[in-house]
Amino acid sequence: NGAICIQPCSPSFHGETSFVCEDRKWQMLSDACASLDVQSLFQVRKLLCTDFGLCSKLLAKTDLPSMHFHCQADFSCIIPDILSSPAIPGNIADIVELLKKISLLLSVNVTRGKMQSYSRIANHILNSSIISNWAFVRDRNAGSILLDSVNLFAGKLHLRNGSEIIQEPFIATKGYSVHKNTSGKSFDFSMEFNSTGNITGHVVIPEEELLRLPRASKAISVAFPTLGAILETNQLDPAFVNGMVLSVSLPEELQNILLTFEKLNKLEQVGAQCVGWHSAERRWDPGACELRAHNATTVVCVCAHRRRTYRSFSILMSPATPRSSLLGYITRVGLGLSIFSLVLCLVIEAVVWHHVTKTEITYMRHFCLVNIAASLLVADVLFILAAIVHNTALNYQLCVAATFFLHFFYLALFFWMFTLGLLILYGLLLIFFKITRFVFLAAAFSIGYGCPLVISILTVAITEPKNGYLRSGACWLNWYETKALLAFVVPALSIIVVNLIVVVVVVVKTGRSSIGEGCKSQDLSSMIRVSKNVALLTPLLGLTWGFGLATIIDSRSLAFHVVFALLNAFQGFFILLFGTLLDRKTREALRMNCLSSRRKWGLEK
């Protein structure tokens, strides 16, 4: 497993094909077999060379032998051979490299003829029918290289009479002259995506942006209906492009643009995210854009144009997590009930505190319970605030702050559950070993709040300088780029495992028969006692979070997500029920408190 096998191509091709062994089967890894000979493309047409400088540059950079070159200024002489060649992975790689060299060497004076030839070559490898071949191109950054090459070449396009439109089925270029007196400029694209129909895109330069221009300039936009599917083949994030890719080349003074994308997958429940392509890091970056409007068919984005980093934009949709109105309903109802239950739990604990904390062990138990409830209450409130911050597209710093405190209080919840688990072990196993209240408080605060604080600070300090603290599309810890989420997952799962061991110890200790083998009534009583202990401890020790592993194993299963949402959205209610209302001493203290209140107000019969 993991072995690599390399085979030569058939006689009519040059290059090689690589395979990798997976599950005892050879799977194609890359295919570099090509039929095109890029080095000889400019020799095959016996045409007059009208631009000797163009030919000389290509001669110098393609390591061709010194011979007479025949080509045209718009390099249209190579197009018939390229268009007649199959768009196999090896040929795609060669054409990408050719377009890169043309954009680097021959973009001094890009005329309409040059741009037409360039677009026809690019269109050949952007056809929707051959997109799957890109997965086997050896250079995984080939799509990004193509995008950068097209942007560079199109940005040098010379505009005749103030405008230019060059349209191919899978790449379209439009350019206009702009100045500060222009009322506003827009680029409208309607292009074929596949055999089923077209897709549209819309770029608008706002009038207030045009007022920044000191002189007349040009604005150029390029639309790619299929390039998004190519770019995502090398992305770690499972989110996929759900619209065309729109590139813009604008003067430095123009900083913000308005883009409207038609969605490929028109599901109203599916969320959309506006992103810009970071050309240096070769990834989609949500920090480049903000969501302005969103409905079932279209998404409107406001994006920041930066020549060195952000010149291409699109929208993403994540397929991993199932979007369901049921999940949203469970979360909203569960969080509301959880917050109410936790507030009620804290009120009851405050009322009965002096009655239920007369011994050291009960004091410690209720102290842990209060901190568990308080941590979960703050975390639930912050969860709602973080969702509001993200949905209203507020500033980045506010989202970082919300994520930091959300991370801290969820960790505090788990570490206080861990403290309660240790306290249970102490009560069961260390019967003759006593600790003072001061020692307990010092240890409990160090574990319950000290450890989460250290982990939270280290996480933001390590990942935020690289802009890897937040995940794309939510105010929560990043996963795909920096794995910052591990700073929550590893402690949480470790505590769940430890607390599961605690429950096992409790079951063993309380499940033993009193004397000998015991009768059936004793066995039944033992089973009831064990079941009650497990039911009481499961929410208090956070074992319900263990069901989150099922959503990782099968992230597309709606049933797993519904179960996980039910157990955790209602956790505050479970803590109130099992930690407070079903506790015998707490109920007795409440009854005594009610009786004393009745006597005080003369309500006793």
Side-chain angles (χ1 to χ4, degrees), residues 195-209:
S195 57
T196 60
N198 288 10
I199 184 174
T200 61
H202 189 65
V203 182
V204 175
I205 305 173
E207 185 176 354
E208 58 270 20
E209 288 291 323

Side-chain angles (χ1 to χ4, degrees), residues 9 16-18 28-34 88-91 136-138:
C9 305
E16 59 187 24
T17 305
S18 300
M28 185 181 289
L29 185 64
S30 65
D31 183 2
C33 295
I88 56 178
N91 285 345
F136 303 106
V137 175
R138 176 174 292 176

Side-chain angles (χ1 to χ4, degrees), residues 319-584:
T321 304
R323 302 277 180 171
S324 170
S325 56
L326 176 61
L327 282 176
Y329 178 77
I330 291 172
T331 302
R332 286 190 293 270
V333 173
L335 278 176
L337 182 60
S338 180
I339 290 173
F340 173 78
S341 300
L342 291 168
V343 171
L344 183 59
C345 176
L346 293 174
V347 170
I348 292 174
E349 287 294 323
V351 170
V352 302
W353 183 259
H354 294 292
H355 300 284
V356 296
T357 58
K358 292 179 179 179
T359 65
E360 291 296 317
I361 194 69
T362 56
Y363 175 87
M364 296 174 187
R365 176 190 177 277
H366 283 273
F367 188 82
C368 290
L369 180 62
V370 166
N371 281 279
I372 288 172
S375 298
L376 182 57
L377 176 61
V378 177
D380 282 346
V381 173
L382 285 172
F383 183 89
I384 296 172
L385 292 178
I388 293 173
V389 168
H390 168 63
N391 290 334
T392 55
L394 297 177
N395 62 58
Y396 178 81
Q397 288 75 17
L398 197 58
C399 195
V400 169
T403 302
F404 173 82
F405 286 108
L406 191 61
H407 183 204
F408 170 74
F409 279 104
Y410 270 127
L411 281 179
L413 168 67
F414 278 95
F415 276 94
W416 277 107
M417 290 174 175
F418 176 62
T419 305
L420 180 60
L422 294 180
L423 181 64
I424 293 171
L425 286 180
Y426 161 74
L428 285 174
L429 305 179
L430 304 175
I431 301 172
F432 301 105
F433 180 78
K434 303 296 181 183
I435 60 173
T436 64
R437 185 173 296 187
F438 174 79
V439 172
F440 165 75
L441 291 177
F445 273 107
S446 299
I447 296 172
Y449 293 122
C451 293
L453 185 62
V454 171
I455 295 172
S456 301
I457 291 175
L458 286 177
T459 304
V460 70
I462 293 171
T463 59
E464 177 54 24
K466 308 177 200 175
N467 292 324
Y469 185 57
L470 299 180
R471 71 168 51 193
S472 59
C475 290
W476 185 230
L477 299 173
N478 186 290
W479 170 250
Y480 294 104
E481 287 80 23
T482 62
K483 301 294 187 291
L485 186 60
L486 288 176
F488 172 72
V489 173
V490 172
L493 286 180
S494 302
I495 290 171
I496 289 172
V497 171
V498 172
N499 285 351
L500 184 60
I501 295 172
V502 172
V503 172
V504 172
V505 173
V506 171
V507 169
V508 171
K509 282 283 187 179
T510 60
R512 293 172 178 168
S513 298
S514 301
I515 299 173
E517 296 180 357
C519 60
K520 289 185 177 180
S521 61
Q522 288 176 325
D523 291 340
L524 181 60
S525 176
S526 177
M527 290 178 61
I528 293 173
R529 186 166 61 250
V530 168
S531 301
K532 181 181 177 182
N533 287 331
V534 171
L536 288 171
L537 292 176
T538 296
L540 292 179
L541 297 182
L543 300 188
T544 54
W545 286 78
F547 287 92
L549 289 174
T551 65
I552 297 174
I553 295 170
D554 187 2
S555 61
R556 296 175 184 269
S557 172
L558 180 61
F560 287 159
H561 283 274
V562 168
V563 172
F564 186 58
L566 280 170
L567 291 173
N568 289 285
F570 288 88
Q571 189 176 10
F573 172 73
F574 294 146
I575 289 174
L576 170 68
L577 180 63
F578 295 115
T580 302
L581 298 182
L582 293 182
D583 182 65
R584 182 175 55 83

